[in-house]
Amino acid sequence: MSRQSIGETLSHQLHKSEAAIDTALSETAGLAVLLPRARVEAGLAAVTGQGAFDGTAAALTALTEARAHLIRTHVTLAALARRLGLQALAFGPVDKPDDRPPVGGNVLSLADTAGGPNPNKILPRQPRVC
């Protein structure tokens, strides 16, 4: 197995892990939204179910921390890939904070649109050096 294929496998799994954490965060946040509504609709006292509120809040905190750890792992692996001279391993439509200009997945680059319509009216057709 080549370093490139190992990197691609790691990249794919990392993105799946990041998506799983985001899904877990979203679902747990949904539970946090429903808990107070359910308590009120059931006509229960405010102290009822406080343990469930606390547990859900703790789960959200833990998932947020887990997400931060995965982001640090992502940065570390990206730096390692660059050091090893691996080809780009990223995939998908998600722009990274350092993408200048944003790549936007299937959006054409400015060089690809020379003479044609500018897909991003905000960006100049010819990139300028700052």
Side-chain angles (χ1 to χ4, degrees), residues 44-79:
L44 301 171
V47 298
T48 303
Q50 185 60 40
F53 287 98
D54 293 341
T56 304
L60 282 169
T61 299
L63 287 167
T64 301
E65 290 171 0
R67 188 178 192 281
H69 287 293
L70 271 180
I71 297 303
R72 285 192 289 277
T73 298
H74 191 135
V75 169
T76 301
L77 288 173

Side-chain angles (χ1 to χ4, degrees), residues 101-113 117-120:
V103 293
N106 295 327
V107 174
L108 299 173
S109 72
L110 291 176
D112 294 335
T113 62
N118 188 353
N120 187 339

